[in-house]
Amino acid sequence: MSNINAAITAVGGYVPDYKLTNAILETMVDTNDEWITTRTGIKERRILKDPEKGTSYLAIQAAQDLINKKNLDASTIDLVIVATTTPDMPVASTAAYVASEIGAVNAFSYDLQAACSSFLYGMSTASSYIESGRYQKILLIGADKMSSIIDYTDRATCIIFGDGAGAVLFEPTQEKVGLEDELLRSDGIGRDFLKIKAGGSLMPASQDTIDQKLHYVVQDGKNVFKYAVSNMADVSEQIVKRNSLTNEDIDWLVPHQANKRIIDATAKRVNLPSEKVMMNIDRYGNTTSATLPLLLNEYETQLKKGDKLVFAAFGGGFTWGSILLTWAYNS
Ligand code: UT7
């Protein structure tokens, strides 16, 4: 085991100004505020309206927020990872563009895609590089312009997702803080339950796929819900147990924001009261790769050095997992 620990030493975030409320959605599809609120906990989501701007715009704003708050010289960043499921383009790396735009001129960079678990997996990747001793500063950004892949005539999906981005900086430390344990999983059984059918190598985009709206997200919500509830709760419980911790040792649950009922079930399994559960789904909906860093950005001032955080996520693929991390600073 390396004696170098990988700590989060700064956070940043960004959401676009435009609020897509439940009241507005009521005018677009056959739905209502009461259904959306009781089934998901969502009241509004942020949408990047400018058609000229993609996920990189969100990522750059979040990274810039972190850089300003930390007073960081971007040229010292070694690696920029953009966790995203909505890259600017299918081929050119979004992360490469983001790194150049923020002045990370000495960094290498790439995108990481694991649907709603992209950021969680990215935490594992970034930490491993740091623990290896090869790199000193890794900027991990979770960013998604979900509105670019949502069919706003499909009430099963358009009420759920929003746009946003969050960023964290990983740095080495000898102190007993940072990422302590991870439990990451995947199961291809989920491929048919949550996907965009066309636009990839299996079914390239064509006039026909566009006419059939196959370039939008489709979800078998009931099945995804079933797997998400049990798997997110299972890994969270396991990571707490195998580190010989009890609910009293955990200061915060940092859960992916897909559905308040999934979050509540996970919190219940690890026996944590709502005061210890980070939540912003009511205001942002499911921002996919951005949910976890956006939570950290919002709760940063409440976090204290030494706090134990349990992260949990579940997403398309299926992909899921949990991470145990000790917070490294007081803000
Ligand atoms: O982050 C990635 C992973 N994704 C998730 O974790 C999402 C997991 N799934 C969910 O969060 C939930 O399944 C949803 C919120 C998507 C749906 O909630 P549900 O309680 O599973 O509803 P349902 O799909 O079983 O639909 C129940 C009823 C249906 O009507 P019938 O067949 O009972 O007459 C739907 O047609 O609700 C209807 N319905 C709606 N009604 C009003 C579906 N969407 C809506 C809507 N407004 N937006």
Side-chain angles (χ1 to χ4, degrees), residues 43-303:
K43 284 288 189 188
E44 59 191 37
R45 327 93 195 107
R46 300 299 183 96
I47 303 293
L48 181 57
K49 284 296 231 182
D50 188 340
E52 305 278 307
K53 294 189 167 98
T55 292
S56 63
Y57 176 81
L58 302 166
I60 290 164
Q61 305 304 310
Q64 212 60 65
D65 183 43
L66 181 152
I67 287 166
N68 294 343
K69 272 160 65 179
K70 175 88 173 164
N71 204 9
L72 177 71
D73 175 357
S75 71
T76 63
I77 298 170
D78 298 304
L79 164 61
V80 176
I81 301 173
V82 174
T84 186
T85 222
T86 53
D88 279 4
M89 303 171 200
V91 174
S93 159
T94 299
Y97 178 70
V98 170
S100 294
E101 288 295 304
I102 63 172
V105 289
N106 296 307
F108 71 109
S109 50
Y110 57 86
D111 300 346
L112 191 155
Q113 207 277 55
C116 290
S117 305
S118 302
F119 187 84
L120 190 87
Y121 284 13
M123 289 175 69
S124 165
T125 307
S127 298
S128 303
Y129 276 126
I130 293 286
E131 287 160 7
S132 77
R134 286 207 301 280
Y135 303 107
Q136 309 297 310
K137 282 186 171 47
I138 299 183
L139 184 66
L140 172 64
I141 306 169
D144 268 306
K145 184 183 174 185
M146 292 305 290
S147 60
S148 66
I149 53 170
I150 295 300
D151 175 2
Y152 283 95
T153 65
D154 176 10
R155 69 177 183 174
T157 52
C158 74
I159 57 132
I160 297 170
F161 295 97
D163 301 339
V168 303
L169 185 69
F170 274 95
E171 290 186 277
T173 177
Q174 305 279 343
E175 292 187 63
K176 282 191 165 305
V177 294
L179 193 143
E180 283 181 40
D181 195 13
E182 63 183 40
L183 195 51
L184 306 180
R185 293 283 180 269
S186 65
D187 186 344
I189 194 175
R191 182 160 148 140
D192 284 331
F193 297 129
L194 175 51
K195 65 184 171 189
I196 296 178
K197 212 166 175 187
S201 57
L202 201 55
M203 188 187 285
S206 66
Q207 190 57 55
D208 192 40
T209 63
I210 290 175
D211 290 345
Q212 291 187 56
K213 295 185 169 188
L214 300 181
H215 55 295
Y216 290 127
V217 171
V218 284
Q219 169 171 246
D220 174 348
K222 229 184 221 349
N223 261 309
V224 178
F225 185 88
K226 197 176 72 187
Y227 282 96
V229 162
S230 63
N231 286 322
M232 235 170 91
D234 280 354
V235 285
S236 304
E237 186 181 29
Q238 280 172 42
I239 208 160
V240 171
K241 280 198 175 146
R242 83 176 187 188
N243 284 277
S244 307
L245 301 171
T246 69
N247 58 333
E248 306 216 326
D249 302 313
I250 305 301
D251 297 288
W252 295 99
L253 178 66
V254 194
H256 172 54
Q257 308 283 294
N259 186 314
K260 185 172 184 299
R261 290 183 290 147
I262 300 173
I263 298 168
D264 290 345
T266 305
K268 193 168 169 206
R269 181 80 78 80
V270 285
N271 202 10
L272 288 180
S274 58
E275 311 86 76
K276 287 187 171 187
V277 181
M278 294 191 189
M279 189 109 69
N280 59 16
I281 190 170
D282 52 327
R283 284 167 295 129
Y284 303 144
N286 183 349
T287 55
T288 303
S289 312
T291 59
L292 301 181
L294 273 175
L295 286 171
L296 293 180
N297 191 47
E298 287 204 10
Y299 283 78
E300 185 186 22
T301 54
Q302 296 182 53
L303 290 168

Side-chain angles (χ1 to χ4, degrees), residues 22 26 32-39:
N22 289 352
E26 283 178 13
N32 58 77
D33 175 54
E34 203 258 330
W35 192 96
I36 301 173
T37 306
T38 52
R39 299 282 175 132

